[in-house]
């Protein structure tokens, strides 16, 4: 008798033959009664779940977070209570626009998502490798993503759609400048920084609130790829970044990131000249210097890609007491849209999947639902209030109140939110080699775009920095005076190019 485990159906019944279907005679048609064949075909048809609409291609790893700096004066979260304490984490990095099988070395922002399994429940940091984003109002988000994905007619990615949207959305210029800079294609996932991008909050035992931005600085150093290097790699290995992360961890070369924060006392938000909740802006370091918090390390590869990476569900609303959201409109929308996406992709019980399950007790009155695969609360009371020893609320973890005021309206998000200054500041801090790479990358992407869209976009480069604008005008062969002037608005039919 073979000592290996016995093959069974999904119901556990032993399988006699896994090589030959049941047929009417050796050359005849198959029989409906071949349950095992039906089960195999049906299960295979259902192996794929909906891929993420954005961030579909990713790589993940387990690791740890160790506290190195005391920030307990800002937050009561137990995670940060003691220097030296540690917490298990899971990280997933991803490209944004490509599908699940797309090339890792595309020019694209990278998702930088972290799940901290803290003793007070999960903290999810759903960041990017850029400190800002293309839009500041979530009403524009699905339009923005449509413009970066595929043309509905041709099924092709299309530079015209991208630049049409960006040139009509000047608030995108800061992120566009980062995307087309040398940092737009990281050499590996280990060689990029992560940022919360959003402003979040921290609050302490004295109910004081602080606005916070999170930074995750690569200890490996920033390394990048040129367009040519990235294209060559994509031609031979679509999974280059996923493979690199896996291989590094396999050979005990564990990547690390220094965790730092910028802290703004709640009261300062009203008077700080830069809108502190505008996702297209950073807080300059000279105003809010970086404070050390801890060290992240990735040191264990997933054992099953689907169970751990594909089913990982991060949501910015997962925050233990002492941490909170902010009025950032993009963050407010993501608080809804991330769990909403998980309910669609993974079902209502996604939080109970092993990779998402907190390492601390979970006591809710939720019951039932699609794919409920645990004991479903057995016979415990399923309503509250009750007199049957069910779980009760804990008023001591109440977040301090946030004072809000104002008319309910649709406020022009450009009003009082300058769009160009920080893109210019970034351009000016680049070395001449970085500037040359930026200009070259932009020209490569813009050269096939209709002239009126080029001219509209050139106005933004000029406003950020005259040198940035004139370099782009020269390389695109557009008269500097034309590109500097305000062009008349154009409306074209889709078939006229674009
Ligand atoms: P600082 O000189 O204090 O900081 C500049 C920052 O720019 C550093 O964090 C540096 O990262 C980063 N940087 C350098 N080259 C690039 C690039 N090609 N793409 C993205 N980031 C880059 O200046 P300020 O704080 O006054 O910020 C000036 C500009 O720097 C901002 O407008 C913004 O565009 C950019 N920046 C600012 C950040 C912030 O939080 N203040 C964060 C990231 C970028 P590193 O330390 O790794 O070299």
């Amino acid at each position: 008798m073979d000592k290996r485990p016995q093959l069974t159906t999904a119901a556990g019944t032993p399988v006699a033959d896994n090589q030959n279907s049941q047929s009417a005679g050796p050359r005849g048609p198959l029989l409906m009664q071949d349950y095992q064949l039906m089960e195999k075909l049906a299960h295979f048809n259902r192996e794929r779940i909906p891929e993420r609409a954005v961030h579909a291609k990713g790589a993940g790893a387990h690791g740890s977070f160790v506290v190195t700096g005391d920030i307990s004066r800002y937050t009561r979260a137990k995670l940060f209570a003691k220097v030296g304490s540690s917490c298990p984490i899971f990280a997933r990095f991803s490209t944004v626009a490509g599908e699940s099988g797309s090339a890792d070395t595309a020019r694209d922002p990278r998702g930088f998502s972290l799940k901290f399994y803290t003793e007070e429940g999960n903290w999810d940091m759903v960041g990017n490798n850029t400190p800002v984003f293309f839009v500041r109002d979530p009403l524009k988000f699905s339009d923005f993503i449509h413009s970066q994905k595929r043309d509905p007619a041709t099924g092709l990615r299309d530079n015209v759609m991208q630049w049409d949207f960006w040139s009509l959305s000047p608030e995108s210029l800061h992120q566009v400048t980062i995307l087309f800079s040398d940092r737009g294609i990281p050499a590996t996932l280990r060689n990029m920084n992560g940022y919360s991008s959003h402003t979040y909050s921290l609050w302490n035992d004295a109910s004081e609130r602080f606005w916070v931005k999170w930074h995750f600085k690569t200890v490996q150093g920033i390394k990048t790829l040129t367009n040519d290097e990235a294209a060559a790699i994509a031609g031979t290995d679509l999974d280059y970044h996923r493979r690199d992360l896996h291989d590094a961890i396999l050979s005990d070369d564990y990547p690390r990131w220094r965790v730092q924060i910028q802290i703004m006392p709640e009261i300062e938000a009203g008077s700080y000249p830069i809108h502190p909740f505008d996702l297209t802006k950073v807080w300059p370091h000279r105003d809010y210097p970086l404070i050390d918090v801890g060290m992240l390390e990735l040191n264990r590869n997933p054992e099953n890609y689907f169970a751990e990476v594909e089913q990982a569900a991060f949501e910015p609303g997962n925050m233990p007491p002492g941490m909170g959201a902010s009025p950032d409109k993009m963050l407010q929308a993501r608080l809804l849209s991330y769990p909403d996406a998980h309910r669609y992709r993974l079902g209502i019980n996604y939080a109970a999947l092993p990779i998402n399950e907190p390492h601390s007790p979970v006591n809710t009155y939720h019951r039932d639902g699609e794919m409920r695969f645990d004991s479903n609360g057995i016979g415990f009371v399923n309503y509250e209030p009750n007199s049957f020893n069910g779980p009760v609320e804990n008023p001591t973890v109440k977040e301090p109140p946030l004072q809000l005021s104002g008319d309910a309206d649709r406020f022009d998000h450009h009003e009082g939110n300058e769009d160009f200054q920080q893109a210019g500041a970034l351009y000016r801090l680049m070395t001449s080699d970085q500037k040359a790479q930026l200009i070259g990358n932009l020209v490569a992407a813009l050269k096939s775009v209709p002239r009126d869209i080029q001219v509209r976009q050139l106005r933004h480069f000029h406003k950020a920095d005259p040198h940035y604008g004139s370099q782009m005008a020269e390389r695109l062969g557009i008269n500097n005076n034309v590109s500097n002037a305000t062009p008349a608005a154009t409306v074209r039919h889709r078939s006229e190019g674009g």
Side-chain angles (χ1 to χ4, degrees):
M1 177 84 180
D2 197 326
K3 289 272 171 31
R4 289 177 295 180
Q6 174 178 256
L7 180 68
T8 70
T9 66
T13 58
V15 169
D17 183 346
N18 196 36
Q19 320 302 321
N20 306 294
S21 312
Q22 276 186 35
S23 54
R27 297 191 177 192
L30 300 179
L31 300 181
M32 277 290 287
Q33 68 186 32
D34 190 349
Y35 171 80
Q36 191 199 341
L37 173 66
M38 303 306 154
E39 181 184 274
K40 280 182 83 171
L41 293 176
H43 194 278
F44 178 72
N45 280 347
R46 290 162 180 78
E47 280 184 359
R48 296 289 167 273
I49 58 173
E51 71 171 32
R52 294 164 169 90
V54 283
H55 295 278
K57 176 74 187 288
H62 300 266
S64 62
F65 166 70
V66 179
V67 178
T68 58
D70 182 7
I71 59 164
S72 57
R73 62 191 175 284
Y74 303 122
T75 175
R76 52 157 295 165
K78 288 187 185 159
L79 171 63
F80 304 110
K82 218 165 91 226
V83 170
S85 67
S86 70
C87 160
I89 64 153
F90 182 75
R92 181 177 183 271
F93 307 130
S94 51
T95 50
V96 179
E99 293 82 7
S100 62
S102 58
D104 281 347
T105 53
R107 182 169 297 284
D108 207 1
R110 300 299 189 279
F112 196 103
S113 292
L114 304 169
K115 192 179 284 291
F116 297 72
Y117 302 95
T118 89
E119 62 179 287
E120 298 177 290
N122 288 351
W123 170 39
D124 290 357
M125 164 54 60
V126 200
N128 274 335
N129 73 334
T130 61
V132 295
F133 195 63
F134 299 93
V135 293
R136 63 166 74 93
D137 192 310
L139 203 53
K140 298 183 73 167
F141 180 77
S142 57
D143 297 292
F144 162 63
I145 294 297
H146 285 174
S147 76
Q148 307 298 303
K149 290 268 197 174
R150 294 178 183 278
D151 183 306
T154 60
L156 298 168
R157 296 281 295 277
D158 185 354
N159 284 0
V160 178
M161 292 164 62
Q162 299 186 344
W163 288 105
D164 193 29
F165 183 90
W166 284 332
S167 65
L168 290 166
S169 305
E171 73 273 24
S172 64
L173 186 68
H174 193 187
Q175 176 79 323
V176 164
T177 303
I178 294 173
L179 177 62
F180 286 89
S181 79
D182 53 333
R183 294 199 186 184
I185 314 180
T188 77
L189 298 170
R190 300 177 290 132
N191 294 112
M192 63 183 193
N193 291 338
Y195 304 89
S196 63
S197 315
H198 297 293
T199 300
Y200 286 86
S201 57
L202 296 176
W203 50 278
N204 61 19
D205 276 326
S207 285
E208 294 166 312
R209 178 182 280 105
F210 302 86
W211 304 118
V212 61
K213 281 188 184 285
W214 292 87
H215 300 251
F216 304 88
K217 298 274 191 140
T218 170
V219 173
Q220 296 67 240
I222 298 277
K223 288 193 188 137
T224 60
L225 296 173
T226 64
N227 277 352
D228 288 345
E229 289 167 337
I233 292 169
T236 54
D237 187 358
L238 293 174
D239 305 321
Y240 180 76
H241 282 167
R242 189 187 285 175
R243 195 183 312 283
D244 171 83
L245 182 64
H246 176 271
D247 290 354
I249 293 172
L250 198 65
S251 58
D252 300 337
D253 181 9
Y254 302 143
R256 295 195 295 159
W257 284 264
R258 184 166 290 114
V259 183
Q260 297 176 308
I261 53 174
Q262 289 177 288
I263 284 284
M264 179 190 291
E266 180 175 356
I267 186 80
E268 288 178 21
S271 57
Y272 189 52
I274 298 168
H275 181 1
F277 309 122
D278 174 359
L279 186 55
T280 69
K281 302 278 182 353
V282 297
W283 300 349
H285 294 136
R286 66 180 170 279
D287 296 343
Y288 295 100
L290 294 167
I291 299 168
D292 276 323
V293 177
M295 187 68 82
L296 282 181
E297 180 182 273
L298 297 180
N299 48 32
R300 182 161 60 88
N301 279 317
E303 289 173 359
N304 184 285
Y305 182 84
F306 183 85
E308 292 159 75
V309 187
E310 194 60 14
Q311 294 200 126
F314 302 89
E315 47 190 301
N318 282 351
M319 285 175 285
M323 310 178 83
S326 81
D328 177 340
K329 291 176 185 177
M330 289 292 292
L331 172 59
Q332 295 273 321
R334 292 177 81 210
L335 294 173
L336 163 81
S337 65
Y338 277 66
D340 188 47
H342 305 325
R343 289 177 196 119
Y344 164 64
R345 290 183 66 240
L346 303 165
I348 188 67
N349 288 307
Y350 67 92
L353 288 165
I355 190 66
N356 302 323
E357 196 182 18
H359 293 192
S360 59
V362 175
N363 299 310
T364 77
Y365 290 96
H366 303 323
R367 294 292 186 274
D368 311 343
E370 192 190 355
M371 294 306 291
R372 187 79 202 210
F373 49 81
D374 61 4
S375 57
N376 195 25
I378 326 175
F380 295 138
V381 59
N382 64 351
Y383 59 88
E384 207 268 347
N386 64 69
S387 47
F388 296 103
N389 204 27
V392 291
E393 59 213 15
N394 174 3
T396 68
V397 299
K398 185 175 163 297
E399 189 168 343
L402 177 65
Q403 199 170 27
L404 300 170
S405 64
D407 299 334
D409 204 349
R410 295 183 183 275
F411 295 95
D412 180 349
H413 66 84
H414 293 290
E415 208 103 316
N417 280 324
E418 185 280 335
D419 288 325
F420 306 104
Q421 194 277 330
Q422 292 199 345
L426 176 61
Y427 180 77
R428 288 185 290 277
L429 69 76
M430 289 180 185
T431 62
S432 52
D433 176 56
Q434 286 177 313
K435 284 186 179 129
Q437 282 199 52
L438 169 71
I439 302 294
N441 294 335
L442 283 166
V443 170
L446 261 167
K447 65 179 182 223
S448 57
V449 167
R451 185 111 308 197
D452 59 317
I453 295 179
Q454 290 178 344
V455 170
R456 198 163 58 206
Q457 182 65 32
L458 273 171
R459 289 183 62 224
H460 304 332
F461 297 133
H462 272 294
K463 285 189 176 173
D465 186 282
H467 185 257
Y468 192 2
S470 60
Q471 288 288 299
M472 286 301 301
E474 189 185 315
R475 291 286 301 279
L476 289 170
I478 295 174
N479 182 310
N480 214 12
N481 297 332
V482 174
S483 61
N484 216 354
T486 305
T490 51
V491 179
R492 58 154 41 81
H493 192 268
R494 294 267 306 144
S495 61
E496 290 171 44

